Amino acid sequence: MSESTTTEAMGGADWESLARGAASDFRGEGEESVFLLRELLVFGLDRSAYAVPVERVREIVRMRELTMIPRAPAWLLGVVALRGEVVEVVDLRRRLGLGASIPDRSNRIIVLHGDADRVTGLLVDSVSEVYRIADEAVLPAQGLDTPSVSEVCPRGDEFVSILDVDRALGGADV
Amino acid sequence: MAARRSSKQGAKGSPAEGKATTGAPEGAAGGPAASNENHEFVAEAEEILERMLEDLAELHDQRHESASGEVDPDLVNQIFRSAHSLKGLAGMFGLDAISELSHRLEDILDGLRLGKVAFDSPAVDLLDDGVSLLTTMMTRLERGDANGDDEVEMARGFVAQIDAAIAGAVPEPSDDLESLDLDASLLRALTEYEEHRLKENLRRGRHLALVDSTFEIAAFEEGLSELSAAVREVGEVVSTLPSPGDAPESQIRFSLLVATSVDAARLASRLDFPDTEVHLVKEGDASAEAPPAESPAPPSDASQPASTEAPAPAGPSASEPSPPADGGGDAPEIESLRSISDTVRVDIRKLDELMNLVGELVIQRNAIGTVAQRLTEDVATARIGAELAKTHKALDRKLKELQTGVLDVRMVPLRQIFEKLSRVVRRLRRDLGKEVDLEFVGADTELDKLIVEQLVDPLVHIVRNAFDHALETPEERTAAGKDPHGRITVAASQRGNHVVIEVQDDGRGMDPAAILEKAIARGLVAESDQLSEKEILNLVFEAGLSTASQISATSGRGVGMDVVRNNLAEMGGMVDLASTPGRGTTVTITLPITLAIIQALIVAIREERFAIPLNSVLETMVVEPDQIGRSEGREVLNLRGEPLLLRRLGEEFEIPCAGPEERQFVVVLGMGEQRLGLLVDRLEGQQDTVIKPIKGPLQQIRGIAGATELADRGAILVIDVSAIVGDVIRRREAA
C-alpha cells in the first residue's frame, strides 16, 4: 500500500521506550531530571503547523471519495472506506473554528486511534514530518481560545500547536 | 462482550505484561492477569452451567410429567457430574466461593441419586437458585471483577440453606438383597449408588436380569458400549462388572446387572449379540411365573472350561475399565468423552473476524464482476471478458458455499433460550402461585448466536407479560369455564431466511377499547383517528402505554413493550400482535437468520447512494408524478386500493432532490404493521453487503444503521428502516 504510511514504516512503534533508552544514555551521574523525547506528527492546516502525538497515528491516507452523512453535524465531513473498514472523517478546520474545508485531491486524512477500538480520520491540508522534541520544550497552550489545542512547542522560527486528540475527535459540537 | 483490545503496536513497555503466569491466587490481585485467567474459567464454566440448566429443566419436566414422579437416573448423574466438574474447575482457578457452592449442589445431587433426598424436597428448588447464583458470580468474573464480599456472603448463606435442606436426609431402608439369587461377591462389588439403583428398581417391581457377555479385549469398549446402549433401550444398566476370569487370554467377560420392565424373552431377543447370555435373576411384581432360569454366576459357555479363580471385581487383564467402586456411571463416561472430543469451542469474535473476511471477499467478488462486465462490453476484450465472467460465476458459487459454511458455524439452536424461559416461568409459578404450563415447539430451530443473545431479554419480557398480565388467576379461569391451568406456547420455525417465533397464551386477551382509551388519554393518538383493531393492538408497542392497571414487580410499569420492539428492530426483526378477547394473545416475532451478511437494495438520490436492508422492503415500483395524491398535506399513493403514505428520502435527509414533477421510484417499506413508501430517484440493484458498525459520533445519528462498502463506490450508508418509518408515522400521528 504505497499511498499509506503506517507508524511501523516510520521506524517502529515503541517510541516511548526508545526515547527512554536514549534519555538514559544521555543522563549524567547523579542527575535528577529525566530527559524525555516526544515524537510528533506535524501537519499543515490553514498555513499553520499543528501536530498530534505519533503514537495516536495509525496511518495517513490520501483524500478519497467521501460519502456525506445526512443529519450529521457539519464538522463530520463524511465517511471513507478503508480496506473494508468505514472510517468517519472530521473536518479539523471547522473543529478549530477556521471555517469549512473544501477538500480536494491534495488533502490528507490522518487516521487516529480514538477511545476503545475506534478510529477516526482527521482531514488536514498536508503532512510534513515526524518531529522529535524534548519534553521540556513543550509548553502548555495558554491564551489560545480553542480547546482542541492543549500544548505548543517551538519548531524553528514558528510554534507548532499540539492537538488534544480526544477533544478534537470528541462528540460535542464546537 | 468484552471490549476488544486496541491494536496499538505494543506502545507501552512490554515487561509489565510478561508476568501473567506467576499464578496469583484469586481475589487479592484483581489485576489484568487475574481477570485473564478468570476469562478462561468463565469460558469453560459457562458451558457446564448451560448444560446444567438444560438438564435441570429436563429434570423438572420429567418430575412433572411422569405419574410416579420418577426421573431418569442418568439425567441426575449427568447433573451431578456437571456440578462435580464445576467444583474441580473452580478449585483449579482458586475460586473458593464458587467451588464451595458447586460442592454443595453436588451434595444435593448425590443425595438425589442415592435416594437420600426426595425429588419433591425443597432442596431441588435450591438447585435452580444455586445455578442462578453461580451464573451471577460468573457474570461478575467475566467483567473482570473478583467476586465481592456480598456474593461470597450470599454463597455462604446459601450453603447453610442447603445443609439445612439435606440434613433430614434419611438413609435408605436396608432391603434384603441377600435373598436375591445373586452371587454375594457380586453384591459386595456394587457401589452405594448401584445398590440404591438396584433397590429402587426392585421397589418399582421391575425384572432383574444378569447379562453375561464375552468380548475380544482389543475391541471390548466398542462392544460393551453397543451392548449397554441396547440394554438402555429397554431398561437400565444397574452395574457393569468384569466377570471372573474364565475367559481365554485375549477375551474379557462382563456381567451387566440389568433392571427392566420387559420380560426375559423380549430382553433376550433385544440383546441378540454374539457370546451374550441373559439370565433372569428376579421376576418383577407383574406376575409370578417361572423361577429364575439358571444360576447367574459363571455362565456355562460350553467351549470354555470353568476356572476356579476367585471372583474379583477387576480381572488381571482388565486395566482399562475403571473399577466400579469409584462412583458409578462408567459406561456413559466413555460416551461423553467421545462427544466432547469432536467438538471445538470457538470464541465468537473469531467467527466475526472470519465473517468479516468473507464479507470482504464478497466485495472483491463484486468488483471482479464489474471488471468482467466492462471487458465484455469492449469488442477488443470481449472474449477475455467472457472468460473472466465465467470464472467469476464459479468463484461466486464457491463463495456462497463458504458464506453458508461460516454462517452455519455461528448458528445455535433456540433451545438455550427456551431453557432460560422455563426457568423464568418456574420462578414465576413459585412467586405468583399461578398454574401455568409452558410448552416449546421447534427448540432445534437455529439462529445466529449474536441474535440469540440479544433475543433473550425481549423474549423473557414477552413471556413474563403473558404470565403476569394475560393469564388469569385459576379462580378467574374456572369462572370463565376454562382449564384452571393457563398455557403459554412458544413456537419457533424457520421460514426462508427468517425465523418466526410465536408466543401464544390462552389468557384473557386484550381489550382494544381499553387500549384506545388509554392511548387517547396519553395523547398517543387523536380521538378522530380511524384506527383498525390491529393498529390499536399494536399501540402497546408505543412508549408509555401499559395495559396493566396495576404495577407489579413482575412486569414493571409498562416500560417494556416499546423497548422490546426497539431491541428487535435493532436486529432487523419485527414484532406483531394479535388477540381475541377471552381467548388469548399471540405475539409474533420475525427475525433474520443472521445479521452478518444482508441483502440490500441500493437506492440513489442525485449522486448520494444508500442501502436499504431487503428484508424490510415489501416491493418497489415506478410512480409517475400524476399518480401521487395528497391527503391532509401529505403525499399518498393509491396502492391497490389502500392509501400508502409517501415520504421523499431526499427531504428526510435534507439532500436536494427531484421536484414533484419528476418520475420517482417508490420503495415500500414494512415494519410490523406499518407501511411507508420511500421515494427515491433511482434503484441501483441488489447487493450482498456486510454492515460495518459505526463507532464514532455517527452512531448517534438517527436513521442510519451503519455503513457498508461497495466494490467501486466506496462507503455507503445503510438506512435504519425502523427509525425512518417510526419517525414518519409518529409525525403523522402527532400532527
Side-chain angles (χ1 to χ4, degrees):
Chain A
M1 201 128 307
S2 61
E3 58 176 4
S4 78
T5 319
T6 65
T7 48
E8 274 151 320
M10 291 183 208
D14 204 350
W15 300 103
E16 198 180 327
S17 64
L18 264 180
R20 278 183 202 282
S24 67
D25 288 345
F26 282 118
R27 211 179 303 149
E29 285 285 314
E31 223 172 305
E32 288 289 285
S33 73
V34 178
F35 177 72
L36 270 181
L37 276 179
R38 282 229 220 159
E39 303 271 349
L40 300 170
L41 179 74
V42 180
F43 58 87
L45 188 72
D46 198 34
R47 275 167 286 155
S48 306
Y50 291 85
V52 287
V54 158
E55 62 270 15
R56 297 295 295 266
V57 179
R58 196 184 76 174
E59 60 185 307
I60 301 157
V61 296
R62 276 178 201 282
M63 182 62 199
R64 51 188 65 204
E65 195 173 336
L66 269 170
T67 303
M68 64 79 88
I69 311 162
R71 298 176 170 183
W75 53 266
L76 206 54
L77 268 183
V79 290
V80 292
L82 217 55
R83 299 186 303 276
E85 212 175 354
V86 175
V87 176
E88 290 156 59
V89 178
V90 168
D91 184 353
L92 188 58
R93 270 177 195 264
R94 265 195 199 268
R95 223 45 195 140
L96 297 174
L98 304 170
S101 293
I102 304 157
D104 62 38
R105 297 297 296 176
S106 72
N107 282 93
R108 293 287 181 276
I109 298 168
I110 303 178
V111 182
L112 296 168
H113 290 291
D115 317 337
D117 54 350
R118 240 175 86 181
V119 291
T120 309
L122 217 51
L123 186 81
V124 303
D125 291 351
S126 60
V127 174
S128 37
E129 63 166 330
V130 174
Y131 184 54
R132 298 180 173 209
I133 187 163
D135 199 27
E136 290 137 325
V138 177
L139 310 166
Q142 281 165 340
L144 290 178
D145 59 354
T146 161
S148 298
V149 175
S150 56
E151 292 164 317
V152 292
C153 71
R155 174 176 173 255
D157 306 337
E158 50 167 17
F159 273 90
V160 178
S161 307
I162 305 175
L163 288 187
D164 179 331
V165 174
D166 294 319
R167 284 230 180 117
L169 302 182
D173 216 333
V174 176
Chain B
M1 210 162 293
R4 212 173 303 179
R5 296 255 166 98
S6 77
S7 52
K8 273 185 242 175
Q9 300 96 342
K12 287 282 145 58
S14 44
E17 295 194 5
K19 59 179 179 191
T21 43
T22 43
E26 180 204 13
S35 71
N36 234 0
E37 266 176 38
N38 287 341
H39 180 73
E40 298 241 312
F41 166 75
V42 173
E44 204 154 321
E46 194 179 22
E47 205 165 79
I48 300 177
L49 271 184
E50 241 159 52
R51 176 109 192 237
M52 278 180 93
L53 282 177
E54 260 173 51
D55 292 344
L56 272 177
E58 171 72 23
L59 183 141
H60 287 290
D61 284 354
Q62 289 190 7
R63 197 157 59 106
H64 285 299
E65 276 161 24
S66 93
S68 53
E70 199 184 359
V71 172
D72 177 8
D74 281 343
L75 182 66
V76 183
N77 277 328
Q78 191 147 298
I79 311 178
F80 171 76
R81 273 200 298 273
S82 296
H84 183 77
S85 325
L86 191 61
K87 179 183 76 175
L89 192 66
M92 243 163 60
F93 283 83
L95 301 166
D96 295 336
I98 291 180
S99 174
E100 176 69 12
L101 186 51
S102 325
H103 181 70
R104 292 316 159 103
L105 295 182
E106 195 187 329
D107 284 349
I108 301 180
L109 290 155
D110 199 35
L112 283 177
R113 34 177 243 132
L114 293 176
K116 291 177 181 166
V117 173
F119 279 95
D120 52 6
S121 137
V124 177
D125 288 330
L126 288 178
L127 283 177
D128 288 319
D129 298 341
V131 172
S132 302
L133 182 54
L134 282 172
T135 313
T136 317
M137 294 169 86
M138 219 80 86
T139 316
R140 185 83 176 254
L141 285 177
E142 175 64 17
R143 278 194 316 235
D145 314 340
N147 276 302
D149 291 343
D150 46 339
E151 271 114 346
V152 173
E153 201 49 51
M154 260 173 86
R156 207 167 285 151
F158 202 73
V159 164
Q161 244 179 308
I162 293 175
D163 285 346
I166 58 178
V170 267
E172 205 165 11
S174 56
D175 294 18
D176 190 15
L177 289 178
E178 306 299 321
S179 68
L180 285 176
D181 189 6
L182 276 174
D183 200 286
S185 64
L186 191 150
L187 280 178
R188 272 201 306 277
L190 293 181
T191 64
E192 189 187 2
Y193 172 66
E194 288 167 339
E195 203 176 305
H196 161 67
R197 291 308 311 164
L198 178 58
K199 290 175 185 165
E200 176 73 20
N201 277 300
L202 290 173
R203 222 170 289 142
R204 294 201 180 265
R206 299 206 171 108
H207 310 284
L208 194 64
L210 206 56
V211 178
D212 291 317
S213 190
T214 310
F215 304 98
E216 292 298 321
I217 285 186
F220 82 90
E221 282 186 46
E222 202 174 315
L224 186 59
S225 66
E226 259 175 46
L227 179 63
S228 306
V231 169
R232 273 192 209 104
E233 278 175 24
V234 290
E236 179 184 343
V237 181
V238 174
S239 177
T240 305
L241 301 160
S243 269
D246 60 345
E249 284 275 310
S250 65
Q251 294 192 323
I252 182 168
R253 183 187 298 273
F254 283 97
S255 294
L256 272 60
L257 191 55
V258 172
T260 174
S261 29
V262 306
D263 59 38
R266 260 190 72 201
L267 182 65
S269 74
R270 281 296 199 121
L271 302 180
D272 190 15
F273 286 80
D275 298 321
T276 300
E277 288 173 42
V278 178
H279 315 274
L280 198 61
V281 175
K282 185 179 188 297
E283 187 80 8
D285 286 350
S287 61
E289 274 181 19
E294 252 191 23
S295 156
S300 49
D301 200 344
S303 64
Q304 277 142 47
S307 151
T308 50
E309 258 180 75
S317 55
S319 53
E320 276 102 329
S322 47
D326 69 0
D330 321 329
E333 206 85 67
I334 296 170
E335 279 170 31
S336 67
L337 278 179
R338 275 202 193 137
S339 67
I340 286 171
S341 65
D342 54 16
T343 314
V344 179
R345 195 173 42 219
V346 185
D347 188 327
I348 184 90
R349 278 166 291 188
K350 284 193 186 165
L351 291 181
D352 278 349
E353 276 161 33
L354 218 52
M355 201 68 231
N356 271 336
L357 270 179
V358 173
E360 261 144 55
L361 285 178
V362 168
I363 290 165
Q364 297 306 322
R365 176 208 62 195
N366 293 348
I368 293 175
T370 317
V371 173
Q373 179 70 31
R374 244 188 277 151
L375 287 177
T376 336
E377 278 162 8
D378 189 335
V379 185
T381 54
R383 265 187 59 191
I384 200 158
E387 252 172 70
L388 186 60
K390 230 163 102 190
T391 317
H392 172 252
K393 253 209 184 104
L395 175 68
D396 183 51
R397 266 198 304 277
K398 286 293 155 199
L399 208 51
K400 281 222 171 79
E401 281 172 34
L402 179 63
Q403 201 172 321
T404 322
V406 175
L407 284 179
D408 202 42
V409 176
R410 301 170 59 96
M411 294 298 194
V412 292
L414 279 171
R415 186 180 312 281
Q416 294 175 4
I417 294 194
F418 287 180
E419 307 304 343
K420 289 198 175 104
L421 287 179
S422 59
R423 209 155 36 108
V424 167
V425 167
R426 269 206 304 280
R427 183 151 305 166
L428 289 173
R429 251 195 305 239
R430 218 164 60 189
D431 296 350
L432 300 180
K434 273 189 198 172
E435 288 297 336
V436 176
D437 296 329
L438 183 63
E439 192 193 348
F440 296 114
V441 181
D444 291 325
T445 311
E446 293 191 320
L447 264 178
D448 190 302
K449 167 92 176 156
L450 282 184
I451 298 186
V452 168
E453 299 274 300
Q454 292 177 58
L455 187 59
V456 176
D457 289 343
L459 213 49
V460 164
H461 194 97
I462 292 170
V463 168
R464 245 184 211 169
N465 250 336
F467 197 110
D468 196 23
H469 298 320
L471 290 174
E472 315 88 329
T473 61
E475 300 79 51
E476 286 172 316
R477 291 182 67 90
T478 316
K482 286 176 166 180
D483 182 345
H485 275 250
R487 169 165 283 276
I488 299 175
T489 310
V490 184
S493 61
Q494 188 179 336
R495 296 186 197 157
N497 275 331
H498 287 86
V499 163
V500 178
I501 304 172
E502 280 183 347
V503 182
Q504 194 171 11
D505 67 63
D506 65 348
R508 55 171 73 95
M510 287 162 53
D511 179 3
I515 296 171
L516 187 59
E517 193 183 321
K518 190 163 271 174
I520 293 170
R522 303 259 163 98
L524 292 171
V525 291
E527 222 157 325
S528 57
D529 283 347
Q530 293 293 313
L531 296 178
S532 70
E533 193 176 298
K534 194 127 204 173
E535 282 174 307
I536 295 172
L537 290 182
N538 276 285
L539 283 173
V540 299
F541 293 115
E542 293 299 323
L545 190 95
S546 166
T547 51
S549 42
Q550 284 165 340
I551 292 162
S552 80
T554 317
S555 306
R557 11 175 114 233
V559 287
M561 285 313 261
D562 59 318
V563 177
V564 165
R565 182 179 63 179
N566 290 346
N567 287 352
L568 292 170
E570 268 169 33
M571 301 182 248
M574 307 183 216
V575 57
D576 203 359
L577 198 141
S579 183
T580 316
R583 300 275 295 279
T585 305
T586 305
V587 179
T588 308
I589 297 170
T590 310
L591 288 163
I593 283 183
T594 180
L595 298 176
I597 291 191
I598 59 154
Q599 280 253 302
L601 176 69
I602 312 295
V603 301
I605 300 151
R606 292 288 179 256
E607 292 315 307
E608 302 298 336
R609 292 184 179 82
F610 297 92
I612 302 177
L614 210 56
N615 60 22
S616 27
V617 175
L618 301 176
E619 59 182 310
T620 59
M621 67 195 83
V622 185
V623 278
E624 300 297 340
D626 58 4
Q627 286 176 285
I628 299 177
R630 284 194 161 265
S631 152
E632 297 171 52
R634 280 170 190 80
E635 290 180 311
V636 287
L637 179 72
N638 181 338
L639 183 62
R640 293 182 289 272
E642 291 274 322
L644 175 73
L645 185 65
L646 296 178
R647 179 73 189 159
R648 288 174 193 269
L649 184 60
E651 275 173 34
E652 192 66 23
F653 280 167
E654 290 162 18
I655 303 167
C657 58
E661 67 285 349
E662 277 179 52
R663 167 208 268 193
Q664 291 272 284
F665 287 85
V666 58
V667 180
V668 184
L669 303 174
M671 283 305 296
E673 281 302 294
Q674 296 165 335
R675 303 276 177 274
L676 178 72
L678 210 55
L679 290 175
V680 297
D681 290 354
R682 293 187 306 283
L683 301 180
E684 300 200 342
Q686 295 176 13
Q687 208 137 23
D688 283 344
T689 55
V690 183
I691 297 193
K692 309 277 174 182
I694 295 280
K695 297 167 192 152
L698 226 164
Q699 222 172 4
Q700 292 148 23
I701 294 168
R702 204 169 154 77
I704 306 291
T708 182
E709 191 184 354
L710 287 193
D712 50 345
R713 304 173 200 164
I716 158 166
L717 300 172
V718 181
I719 288 176
D720 180 349
V721 172
S722 72
I724 298 277
V725 175
D727 289 353
V728 171
I729 302 284
R730 208 157 303 137
R731 252 176 273 147
R732 182 196 65 171
E733 281 165 0

